[in-house]
Amino acid sequence: MFTMIFLFLLLNIPLLMVDFIHPRCFWRMKQNEDKDGNLGTGCAFFLQSVHWPVEKEHYSDIFNIQMHNENHKYALALAFAICEINRNPDLLPNMSLIFEFTRDACDWESQLNSVIQSSLKNHNILPNYICKEFTKCPMALTGLNWTTTLKLHTILNNFISQQFLQVTYGHFHPVLSDNEKFPYLYQMASDDKSLALALVSFIIHFGWNWVGLAISNNDQGIQFLSYLRREMEKGTVCFAFVNMIPVNMHLYMSRAEMYYNQIMTSSTNVVILYGYADSTLALSFRMWESLGIEKIWVTNSLWAATLSKKDHTFDNLYGTYAFGQHHGEISGFKNFVQTLNPAKYSDEHLAKLEWMYFNCEVSASKCKTLKNCSSNHSLEWLMVHTLDIAFTGGSYDIYNAVYSFAHALHEMTFQMFDNLPKDNGREHNYSCKKLCSILRKTSFTNPVGDRVNMNQRHKQKEEYDIFYIWNFPQGLGIKVKIGMFSLYFPSGQQLHLSEDVLEWAKGSAQMPTSACSADCGPGFRKSWKNGMATCCFHCKLCPENEISNETNVDVCARCPEDQYANIKQNRCIPKAVVFLSYEEPLGMALSLISLGFSVFTIVLLGVIVKHHNTPIVKANNRTLTYILLISLIFCFLCPLLFIGHPNSTICILQQITFGVVFTVSVSTVLAKTITVILAFKVTASQRMMKYFLVSRVPNYIIPTFTLFQVILCAVWLGASPPSVDIDAKSEHGHIIIACHKGSVTTFYCVLGYLGTLAFGSFTLAFFSRNLPGAFNEAKSITFSMLVFCSVWVTFIPVYHSTKGKIMVAVEIFSTLASSAGMLGCIFVPKCYTILFREDQNSLVMIRMKSSSHAHIS
């Protein structure tokens, strides 16, 4: 059913693709037999210019040579490029390019070994060599491995009297890029740095960070591994394993099972393959596919289409992603090949040679479902479509190499040379030097429309097409272009994938994840242990007051001072500003209590003023009574300064007002105590002294002790005055705004000074409590000072054990309690007597109490 749906989509639904994607599907027929032992090598061709016309039929002998399909493609691509150039009247006029192709052209390893071992007495031992004098500098176009290339380079430049220009269409190798060591050698291919970036960008796009790597164990593989590691470190992608596949067949066979087990047991779902066709890596891939390994394969070329023998639609559930060199479509290649040998190169034969592709948008079918089609029927179904030959990356390098050679030769031919040496050999050498210099500077646009720049420093940036590959019945492989990677785009925008095409290509298959560790969600951070890979980590909850609002963060972000982390620790919440305000119940209650006591004190003051001529008021020094009551009014009003949003002025007034007002109150109590003592201790003979002391002592005690407190407060303001304190750490989620005491030492000095005065008053009153007198205040003062001292002694530990507005409330409560203690103990009994016991507030009662005291004593 799925196959029918796919076929319907393939034939009838136009693809929605972005501008850079051409809806082109590639397909190839699998060979029924794996030639495991035939690991083909590259070829070498020798080109030169001649002054006679060369027809296309000159290359028909190519078909008589048995060789690997890939090498056949290279030979035909070379012939096609030369024919195009020879037909072009604007390029190399009156000249033609030729090359000869022999049976030994692609067996250079054994050929060169025999050459090196021989004495090289004549030149005709070289395959493909035209045994006559070249009219211009010839070019050796080679696709060999780098060691064989070096051997050939040694022979061409040391054992032959004539210089050769050598251009490689094989894979790039850093050793061969040294222009000083190899002045006549040029590599068409670029290094694979950009391919490494393309692969990593593709992997990051799908959120994969745990991948395996299978790579050929040769110089190109090792060099690419270094490029890939560098890009993976930038993108935080890690290797689950790295399989270095030996190029030696016998060594590979001894380790094949180990490589298979490593891939099977690995937790990764993505494996990168870097190698080339007809290698042990390609053989490994065929084996892994045939054994049913379900992985996402990401490879560097289109050879990685599934080559297993199983007749099963969509063998690999996830398919293969292949990166191929981007180039324009070359028209006319199929016609060129078929006109060379129409009988041999039919569409069916070209299809079996893996060269064909067809346009996905055409519609017509002789098969209802691909699943039920046999191999012949599947091929027959494809034959009705517009077919053309797929130009591979190696073929395209050969195509550009031939055109580069032609353009350089064209420019050199039309340059004027003066005083050229007449010696034939030296003229050839001079021509080769000149041609090589021109070639390295050649820049042109090929017939495909692609820009070709032979200057290594200014080479065109690499671009790659990205293909998605399926396996269809009877070995029919489908390759769909899903996007491209281009370095011409800005960083971060170089990878372009058509999501519509990708979704259509994958069908119902879900893209699996490939990660060493599960993502750390918001509120967590990554944590590593020694020896763990960067991509393998544990998830830990962010520390207190730190958040992470993204996945897989390394470090949690601390919330600003005015914010705090929520419970999930994925965002910061503004902290609530906390201070003791009038609006909240506690502040409202304390302010009402403060005002209530103030009003009550005013009422008592009014009662005493109204009855100022009564004996009980006169007996206790009316002036001191008025001073004490007025100071207590201010003591009760003082807490209002502690309620509300504090500022610098309020903070200073809080402490200064508290210290001065309470000093006046306590020093007044001390003055009343001393007055009582002096009144009863001075004898009758000292009446003048008694009057002086009783009337003058308060005038000195209160100002003197108050002045000392004022000086102490001035020192406090000068040293470290109180200020606004913003505490964002004491309470979670709150910013506490309160008044800081400034100099804590001075604050406790002020408090200690009040305590000293209170303790002195308490001591004097305690020892004078039994003195005779009807209205002796000593007992009342004793109890009031006992309450005062008890309150402030208790205040210190309680104050330090609380924070925020509770601390302020404790200070207010201590102020009100100590003030209420003095008011209640000294004045409430007195006012009770004035208002409700008038019989005791008379001279008769005073005499009766005085006589009774005298009788008792």
Side-chain angles (χ1 to χ4, degrees):
M1 181 63 183
F2 177 77
T3 309
M4 293 180 65
I5 295 173
F6 170 80
L7 180 60
F8 177 78
L9 290 173
L10 179 66
L11 299 177
N12 296 289
I13 297 180
L15 303 181
L16 300 176
M17 310 179 74
V18 291
D19 292 339
F20 65 87
I21 292 181
H22 302 286
R24 183 67 66 182
C25 294
F26 296 84
W27 66 275
R28 51 99 188 111
M29 293 299 300
K30 288 184 259 182
Q31 302 296 329
N32 293 327
E33 296 182 2
D34 291 328
K35 300 177 181 179
D36 297 340
N38 182 21
L39 303 182
T41 60
C43 301
F45 313 102
F46 290 86
L47 283 75
Q48 70 162 339
S49 61
V50 294
H51 292 280
W52 61 81
V54 178
E55 297 300 330
K56 183 169 64 174
E57 289 72 15
H58 176 78
Y59 308 105
S60 59
D61 290 340
I62 293 176
F63 303 111
N64 300 323
I65 301 174
Q66 295 297 323
M67 65 177 64
H68 190 270
N69 291 338
E70 198 71 21
N71 293 334
H72 234 139
K73 294 180 189 178
Y74 296 153
L76 289 174
L78 176 62
F80 175 67
I82 290 177
C83 283
E84 275 194 340
I85 293 171
N86 291 341
R87 290 198 305 265
N88 188 347
D90 298 324
L91 188 60
L92 293 178
N94 300 321
M95 296 177 66
S96 299
L97 294 181
I98 62 169
F99 81 99
E100 286 196 5
F101 191 75
T102 66
R103 157 180 326 275
D104 297 324
C106 301
D107 189 20
W108 276 88
E109 185 66 33
S110 59
Q111 289 292 321
L112 289 179
N113 287 336
S114 63
V115 168
I116 293 174
Q117 294 172 4
S118 67
S119 60
L120 293 177
K121 294 182 179 179
N122 50 58
H123 302 322
N124 58 4
I125 60 175
L126 291 175
N128 297 334
Y129 190 78
I130 301 175
C131 300
K132 59 183 177 180
E133 292 296 325
F134 290 105
T135 58
K136 291 289 183 181
C137 176
M139 180 179 75
L141 182 59
T142 64
L144 312 171
N145 59 48
W146 77 276
T147 55
T148 309
T149 300
L150 284 179
K151 293 177 184 178
L152 179 60
H153 182 270
T154 302
I155 293 173
L156 294 178
N157 290 276
N158 293 282
F159 296 95
I160 298 178
S161 60
Q162 185 175 355
Q163 288 288 342
F164 275 78
L165 176 64
Q166 187 175 358
V167 177
T168 69
Y169 66 87
H171 317 304
F172 181 86
H173 198 284
V175 173
L176 303 178
S177 62
D178 191 336
N179 293 336
E180 294 183 1
K181 290 183 179 180
F182 310 103
Y184 300 109
L185 191 149
Y186 188 91
Q187 299 184 85
M188 291 299 299
S190 301
D191 61 17
D192 287 330
K193 288 182 181 179
S194 55
L195 177 61
L197 176 60
L199 289 173
V200 173
S201 300
F202 182 78
I203 288 169
I204 293 175
H205 174 81
F206 291 105
W208 301 326
N209 64 5
W210 188 240
V211 299
L213 176 66
I215 194 169
S216 295
N217 190 7
N218 52 23
D219 294 296
Q220 285 86 1
I222 295 172
Q223 183 67 51
F224 180 74
L225 177 59
S226 66
Y227 295 151
L228 194 60
R229 284 190 189 277
R230 190 180 310 149
E231 296 298 334
M232 290 177 71
E233 288 174 0
K234 295 178 184 177
T236 318
V237 181
C238 304
F239 285 124
F241 62 85
V242 177
N243 279 346
M244 303 292 292
I245 307 298
V247 294
N248 180 274
M249 177 59 69
H250 297 291
L251 182 59
Y252 162 72
M253 293 303 295
S254 65
R255 301 178 181 176
E257 186 177 357
M258 177 186 68
Y259 299 135
Y260 169 76
N261 292 334
Q262 191 169 24
I263 292 182
M264 281 295 294
T265 57
S266 175
S267 59
T268 182
N269 290 319
V270 180
V271 179
I272 298 174
L273 302 173
Y274 179 83
Y276 301 96
D278 300 312
S279 65
T280 51
L281 177 62
L283 182 63
S284 298
F285 178 66
R286 297 171 191 175
M287 181 190 70
W288 297 334
E289 281 281 279
S290 66
L291 294 175
I293 297 180
E294 292 290 343
K295 301 288 184 182
I296 296 176
W297 307 102
V298 182
T299 181
N300 64 306
S301 60
L302 297 177
W303 60 263
T306 304
L307 297 176
S308 64
K309 299 178 182 179
K310 295 188 297 181
D311 181 13
H312 187 276
T313 303
F314 302 105
D315 296 299
N316 189 343
L317 178 63
Y318 306 123
T320 302
Y321 296 91
F323 283 70
Q325 183 183 8
H326 174 75
H327 57 77
E329 293 189 18
I330 301 177
S331 61
F333 187 36
K334 174 191 171 185
N335 181 66
F336 169 79
V337 174
Q338 290 184 327
T339 54
L340 280 178
N341 194 332
K344 183 174 182 179
Y345 281 84
S346 63
D347 282 351
E348 181 176 353
H349 181 73
L350 291 176
K352 291 182 178 179
L353 288 179
E354 309 174 9
W355 292 7
M356 308 303 295
Y357 67 85
F358 70 96
N359 192 323
C360 291
E361 292 181 327
V362 297
S363 62
S365 176
K366 295 182 180 180
C367 246
K368 298 300 182 183
T369 66
L370 286 175
K371 184 175 182 180
N372 297 325
C373 285
S374 65
S375 176
N376 292 333
H377 287 155
S378 298
L379 187 59
E380 183 182 359
W381 175 78
L382 292 171
M383 288 304 103
V384 300
H385 296 80
T386 303
L387 292 169
D388 205 346
I389 298 178
F391 226 61
T392 61
S395 301
Y396 192 63
D397 283 342
I398 291 176
Y399 185 79
N400 286 332
V402 175
Y403 266 95
S404 300
F405 177 68
H407 278 276
L409 191 61
H410 179 89
E411 182 177 347
M412 189 183 72
T413 302
F414 284 89
Q415 287 183 356
M416 300 300 295
F417 298 99
D418 296 329
N419 301 322
L420 281 177
K422 298 304 179 183
D423 180 72
N424 195 40
R426 279 192 286 172
E427 181 179 349
H428 289 320
N429 292 344
Y430 182 84
S431 297
C432 275
K433 292 180 181 179
K434 185 66 177 177
L435 182 62
C436 183
S437 175
I438 295 174
L439 179 67
R440 293 185 184 277
K441 300 175 183 178
T442 299
S443 178
F444 63 94
T445 300
N446 65 15
V448 179
D450 294 339
R451 190 69 184 167
V452 179
N453 192 336
M454 301 296 286
N455 190 329
Q456 291 284 5
R457 294 183 179 180
H458 302 92
K459 262 202 165 185
Q460 300 299 110
K461 296 179 181 179
E462 292 295 326
E463 294 182 290
Y464 298 95
D465 291 328
I466 305 172
F467 299 92
Y468 184 65
I469 303 172
W470 281 286
N471 217 16
F472 270 79
Q474 293 295 334
L476 177 60
I478 297 292
K479 305 184 184 99
V480 181
K481 181 178 176 181
I482 61 171
M484 70 180 296
F485 178 88
S486 175
L487 289 174
Y488 290 99
F489 292 99
S491 178
Q493 303 176 23
Q494 295 162 338
L495 179 70
H496 295 265
L497 295 176
S498 174
E499 299 297 337
D500 294 330
V501 176
L502 186 59
E503 183 179 354
W504 167 80
K506 293 192 292 85
S508 61
Q510 295 296 321
M511 188 68 73
T513 60
S514 187
C516 180
S517 303
D519 290 337
C520 293
F524 293 85
R525 64 178 177 87
K526 296 190 291 187
S527 175
W528 292 269
K529 293 182 179 179
N530 292 334
M532 294 179 66
T534 308
C535 305
C536 303
F537 47 82
H538 301 293
C539 296
K540 283 191 175 181
L541 190 67
C542 287
E544 184 179 357
N545 207 40
E546 293 185 9
I547 66 160
S548 64
N549 53 11
E550 298 178 354
T551 57
N552 295 334
V553 299
D554 296 334
V555 180
C556 297
R558 179 170 290 277
C559 290
E561 289 295 326
D562 59 343
Q563 297 179 4
Y564 69 100
N566 62 349
I567 297 177
K568 295 182 179 179
Q569 292 189 256
N570 57 6
R571 65 187 182 95
C572 293
I573 302 175
K575 291 182 177 179
V577 178
V578 175
F579 59 89
L580 190 60
S581 64
Y582 291 103
E583 289 79 13
E584 60 181 301
L586 181 60
M588 188 178 297
L590 291 175
S591 59
L592 290 176
I593 293 172
S594 175
L595 292 173
F597 273 113
S598 300
V599 172
F600 183 65
T601 305
I602 293 173
V603 171
L604 293 183
L605 177 61
V607 171
I608 291 175
V609 169
K610 182 178 179 180
H611 301 84
H612 64 282
N613 290 323
T614 58
I616 194 171
V617 176
K618 291 181 179 179
N620 293 287
N621 196 324
R622 286 179 296 187
T623 303
L624 293 180
T625 299
Y626 296 153
I627 294 173
L628 181 57
L629 284 172
I630 293 172
S631 64
L632 285 177
I633 293 172
F634 285 103
C635 287
F636 284 122
L637 293 175
C638 186
L640 298 179
L641 294 174
F642 290 81
I643 303 174
H645 196 292
N647 54 54
S648 299
T649 304
I650 294 296
C651 290
I652 293 174
L653 288 177
Q654 281 180 6
Q655 307 305 326
I656 301 304
T657 304
F658 166 78
V660 173
V661 171
F662 267 83
T663 300
V664 173
S665 299
V666 176
S667 60
T668 302
V669 173
L670 179 61
K672 290 175 72 69
T673 306
I674 293 174
T675 300
V676 171
I677 294 173
L678 292 176
F680 286 95
K681 292 296 183 180
V682 176
T683 60
S685 60
Q686 300 172 320
R687 287 186 179 272
M688 291 301 296
M689 177 70 70
K690 175 180 177 180
Y691 175 77
F692 177 78
L693 292 175
V694 172
S695 59
R696 299 298 179 186
V697 164
N699 296 336
Y700 295 100
I701 291 178
I702 298 173
T704 301
F705 286 108
T706 303
L707 179 62
F708 186 81
Q709 184 71 291
V710 171
I711 294 173
L712 197 60
C713 290
V715 173
W716 186 1
L717 294 177
S720 179
S723 60
V724 178
D725 178 48
I726 300 176
D727 182 8
K729 298 180 180 180
S730 296
E731 290 188 16
H732 179 70
H734 296 87
I735 298 177
I736 301 173
I737 300 180
C739 289
H740 186 262
K741 297 296 186 289
S743 175
V744 179
T745 302
T746 311
F747 169 72
Y748 283 111
C749 287
V750 170
L751 202 60
Y753 180 69
L754 289 174
T756 302
L757 293 179
F759 184 74
S761 300
F762 169 75
T763 303
L764 293 176
F766 179 78
F767 288 110
S768 62
R769 68 187 185 282
N770 294 323
L771 292 176
F775 303 109
N776 185 2
E777 287 184 311
K779 291 182 180 180
S780 299
I781 293 173
T782 300
F783 282 109
S784 66
M785 291 298 100
L786 180 62
V787 172
F788 185 91
C789 292
S790 300
V791 168
W792 288 105
V793 168
T794 306
F795 162 80
I796 296 175
V798 176
Y799 181 79
H800 284 284
S801 63
T802 57
K803 294 180 180 180
K805 58 185 178 182
I806 303 301
M807 178 185 289
V808 178
V810 168
E811 191 169 358
I812 293 175
F813 178 79
S814 300
T815 302
L816 294 175
S818 57
S819 302
M822 288 189 290
L823 182 66
C825 293
I826 296 174
F827 293 104
V828 170
K830 190 178 296 186
C831 290
Y832 177 77
T833 301
I834 293 172
L835 296 175
F836 302 106
R837 300 296 296 273
E838 295 181 3
D839 55 325
Q840 294 184 5
N841 188 16
S842 60
L843 293 175
V844 176
M845 183 57 63
I846 291 173
R847 292 191 184 97
M848 288 177 61
K849 287 185 177 182
S850 299
S851 62
S852 64
H853 281 292
H855 180 71
I856 292 173
S857 55

